[in-house]
């Protein structure tokens, strides 16, 4: 049986500390020097563990500022030892399922949008609609109606 790498063991130790409440989501974690001393590992091993944690979306490094624990939604654990429906996995993670307010329909768009995307004039584009929000289009700075979402270059 293959042995776990040192970095993987350190990653798991860090996650155990996180689960025990040692680190708060959104906050900066201790410096590299402090973490190396606390975990009793080399800088190289800690850096490899940080890389693994960053790839998993748990940590994010901000140049010149430090490394932060990402504020994440509830973790969904999918234990392959027991088969569960997606609904059960979501419920077990403490997430409440609900119907989406967003729908999508395929419709033709203006000539300008077709040209921008180098699409055939008859090609259909997805138009999203939302039943519960009212917002501004970031691109054209027009207020959208409660049931429309701006599609790329133009508002409806």
């Amino acid at each position: 049986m293959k042995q776990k790498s040192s970095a993987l063991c350190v990653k798991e130790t860090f996650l155990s500390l996180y689960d025990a409440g040692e680190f708060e989501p959104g906050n900066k974690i201790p410096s590299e020097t402090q973490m190396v001393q606390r975990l009793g590992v080399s800088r190289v091993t800690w850096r490899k563990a940080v890389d693994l944690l960053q790839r998993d979306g748990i940590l994010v490094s901000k140049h010149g500022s430090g490394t932060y624990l990402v504020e994440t939604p509830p973790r969904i654990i999918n234990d392959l030892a027991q088969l569960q429906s997606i609904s059960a996995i979501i419920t077990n993670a403490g997430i409440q399922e609900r119907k989406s307010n967003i729908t999508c329909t395929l419709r033709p768009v203006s000539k300008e949008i077709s040209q921008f995307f180098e699409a055939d004039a008859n090609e259909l584009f997805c138009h999203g609609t939302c039943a519960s929000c009212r917002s501004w289009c970031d691109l054209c700075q027009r207020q959208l109606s409660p049931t429309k979402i701006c599609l790329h270059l133009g508002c409806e």
Side-chain angles (χ1 to χ4, degrees):
M1 190 160 154
K2 192 173 181 181
Q3 205 173 14
K4 289 182 186 178
S5 72
S6 298
L8 187 56
C9 290
V10 171
K11 173 189 165 188
E12 290 174 355
T13 301
F14 178 85
L15 290 173
S16 295
L17 292 170
Y18 166 63
D19 289 338
E22 295 282 327
F23 307 107
E24 292 293 321
N27 289 343
K28 185 176 175 179
I29 65 169
S31 69
E32 180 180 275
T33 304
Q34 291 170 322
M35 289 305 296
V36 163
Q37 289 174 351
R38 183 174 186 174
L39 300 172
V41 297
S42 70
R43 287 181 184 269
V44 172
T45 301
W46 172 244
R47 288 178 186 158
K48 287 179 182 177
V50 167
D51 185 55
L52 291 172
L53 291 160
Q54 287 175 329
R55 283 195 252 157
D56 287 348
I58 296 165
L59 293 179
V60 63
S61 291
K62 296 179 182 177
H63 185 70
S65 177
T67 302
Y68 294 81
L69 189 59
V70 175
E71 290 191 67
T72 58
R75 292 172 66 190
I76 295 179
I77 300 169
N78 186 8
D79 182 3
L80 296 178
Q82 53 181 325
L83 294 177
Q84 295 179 345
S85 69
I86 295 296
S87 292
I89 293 169
I90 290 170
T91 301
N92 291 339
I95 301 171
Q96 189 174 32
E97 282 187 274
R98 60 180 181 241
K99 185 178 177 183
S100 174
N101 289 337
I102 299 175
T103 58
C104 184
T105 57
L106 293 175
R107 292 189 288 168
V109 293
S110 70
K111 181 180 175 183
E112 293 82 18
I113 292 175
S114 293
Q115 287 175 344
F116 178 81
F117 289 104
E118 299 175 358
D120 183 52
N122 298 327
E123 192 164 340
L124 300 177
F125 280 68
C126 179
H127 290 257
T129 59
C130 179
S132 63
C133 66
R134 176 175 220 106
S135 62
W136 290 85
C137 172
D138 289 335
L139 294 173
C140 63
Q141 300 301 311
R142 287 185 11 198
Q143 189 171 16
L144 304 176
S145 72
T147 58
K148 300 293 180 193
I149 295 175
C150 191
L151 172 68
H152 306 292
L153 299 177
C155 288
E156 299 182 51

